[in-house]
Amino acid sequence: MDYAKERCLERNAIIQNIDVTLICEQPRLAPYKQTMANAVAAMLDIDTTRVNIKGKTNEKLGFLGRKEGIVAQVSVLIIRAI
C-alpha cells in the first residue's frame, strides 16, 4: 500500500474511496470488518468512512469452497486535485 500511496502523492491525487470484497468460506468476516477498515484507512491516511469491506462465499465451489484459499477484489476511486 505504501507504493500506491506514494504514487498518488507524486501525482497530486487522493483516494476517494476503497471497496474491498473478500471471498472465502471461513472465517466469517462480520466481527472483523471494522478492524480491517480501520487498518486500511490508517495505512493510507484516509478516513474510515472511505473504506468499505464486505465478505462473500464461493458457495462451496472450487478451491475457495474447499477452504484452500481466500480471494480479495479491490476497487479504488482516485481523483486528481487540480
Side-chain angles (χ1 to χ4, degrees):
M1 282 197 213
D2 289 335
Y3 179 81
K5 183 174 137 183
E6 291 298 320
R7 298 299 76 75
C8 285
L9 290 173
E10 287 174 2
R11 291 164 175 79
N12 200 26
I14 60 169
I15 296 170
Q16 183 67 29
N17 61 28
I18 297 176
D19 185 69
V20 179
T21 303
L22 296 170
I23 305 170
C24 58
E25 298 297 319
Q26 287 183 338
R28 303 286 297 170
L29 296 179
Y32 309 104
K33 285 170 49 171
Q34 191 59 53
T35 302
M36 291 189 296
N38 292 342
V40 170
M43 284 185 261
L44 296 171
D45 295 323
I46 61 174
D47 192 80
T48 56
T49 61
R50 294 175 181 245
V51 180
N52 180 46
I53 297 183
K54 58 187 175 267
K56 294 177 61 174
T57 66
N58 206 42
E59 304 297 327
K60 301 187 183 201
L61 298 173
F63 75 96
L64 295 173
R66 293 189 302 268
K67 303 175 189 170
E68 296 174 354
I70 295 176
V71 171
Q73 298 174 329
V74 181
S75 179
V76 181
L77 176 61
I78 300 171
I79 58 174
R80 290 184 69 187
I82 297 176

